[in-house]
Amino acid sequence: MASTLIGKQAVVIGAGMGGLTAAGALANHFDRVVIFERDTLPSESTFRPGTPQARHVHALLLSGQRALSELFPGFEQDLARAGAVPLRVGLDVRMERPGYDPFPQRDLGWSSYAVSRPAIERAVRRRVESHANITLRQSCRVQEVSASPNGAAVTGVRYENGDGASETIAADLVVDASGRGALTLALLQSIGRPLPEETTIGIDLGYATCVLAIPDDASTDWKGVMTFGQAPQNSRGGLMLPLEGNRWMATIGGRHGDVPPGDAEGFLTYARALRTPTIYNAISRAKRLNGVARYGFPESVRRHFERLDAFPRGLLPIGDAICRFNPVYGQGMSVAALEARLLQGLLERIAGGSVPIAELAPTFFTDVQTVIETPWAVAQLDFAFPDTRGQRPANFETTLKFGIALTRLAAEDPAVHKLMLEVQHLLRPRSAYTDPVLVQRVFAKMVHA
Ligand SMILES: Cc1cc2nc3c(=O)[nH]c(=O)nc-3n(C[C@H](O)[C@H](O)[C@H](O)COP(=O)(O)OP(=O)(O)OC[C@H]3O[C@@H](n4cnc5c(N)ncnc54)[C@H](O)[C@@H]3O)c2cc1C
């Protein structure tokens, strides 16, 4: 049998969603994969400082769930065993949009899972740790990615071990899954290469989150609620989902200064001013299990590595290091898992000889555009708010009107509702909306409006 190995040692920086899933993809193609994580990792599903976003609602889209199951067969059962709450997509989460309070609830035939981010990460970590050739080095902060003297190729990383001593390790491939990607940018700078251009969408989002015990008399009409404000006047929204352990996690937030306070009373007052009373009514009677956690998210950022003429061989940024999306749309973890699947396919092509190993990063940067395109188009909807900073896409008014008419059609027609959710869950590209028959129907609605 032909060997699938393409290198001796791969190093992954960061044991978040991007790093863990990438390690799963690398394991078949390297003798050894070493993940470095700056945090000390908890054995339970608890928070850790390196991923402060984990204190907030983390919805796992169907595309992400499926990608995780492809990387780690049987992963959905792992989630179920971790106490994840199954949700019938289209039915169990009450969607409250202006004009639809609620949007028609229909069972569209799929199940997703609601579970805390630490529990998802722990389930993935367990899978990764079960690989004999993957080593997870916790409490080790990578300080620098090292390169050959001419900067053409990466040679390994320098890291600080748990005792505070600096050590180096050689690698044929370094995957930067550190979230911010600062080490990749620092390397490019140190070898005199240009940094990737960035497209940003400035949204100044403020999040606040509480965990609550689900009361015995909670509504049985829904398991979760998502409430949108009325754009462009009102940016306040909320998402409440069930978690393992019979709990709700309620996240509320707004933009450009209209952000929730960090105390319990202020949290409730802000929730009461959401466009509908559903979340407030539910949480005001529920027992709060922790304090209020806050998070500020200034902008979505897309780094255009694909536009660089040259890139050091043996280095690959992944996940948020390439693109960070407004978290309201719940896309980041799923995109990271889809990128790991893309990497897995690319490594197979390299092992099969159809792509030279030197082309790994350039090919990945080109191919990943198809993964990023739809979630980025979703993030661009933020231009519905006039204070959003950045380059408004061409014909944005038409895009907004198309979206409003499509939503109206989806409320009436379960098939269009299903298509909309397939796109929102990143199961189908946004180009699915260009189907001529659908376009005609949507235009008819627009004319009618
Ligand atoms: C408030 C908020 C809510 C969100 N909600 C959702 C949601 O509902 N659904 C969703 O899919 N996504 C959501 N996201 C996005 C999601 O959290 C990220 O997209 C996803 O975690 C990206 O994975 P990553 O591996 O790139 O980064 P991360 O998961 O952040 O992991 C980076 C890891 O690298 C480690 N690290 C960093 N530097 C070093 C170093 N020098 N050495 C060693 N280790 C290092 C960190 O400790 C961390 O463990 C949300 C984000 C935010 C901010």
Side-chain angles (χ1 to χ4, degrees), residues 364-395:
F364 183 84
F365 294 147
T366 302
D367 294 356
V368 82
Q369 301 312 313
T370 54
V371 175
I372 292 174
E373 205 169 356
T374 293
W376 187 255
V378 172
Q380 284 178 323
L381 296 176
D382 287 332
F383 284 104
F385 294 96
D387 289 340
T388 301
R389 295 180 305 280
Q391 181 70 46
R392 262 167 99 86
N395 302 322

Side-chain angles (χ1 to χ4, degrees), residues 106-128:
R106 306 181 175 111
D107 190 336
L108 296 171
W110 314 292
S111 279
S112 66
Y113 284 98
V115 59
S116 68
R117 156 74 191 243
I120 299 175
E121 206 180 275
R122 179 166 167 266
V124 183
R125 202 158 64 227
R126 288 206 157 167
R127 285 305 191 108
V128 164

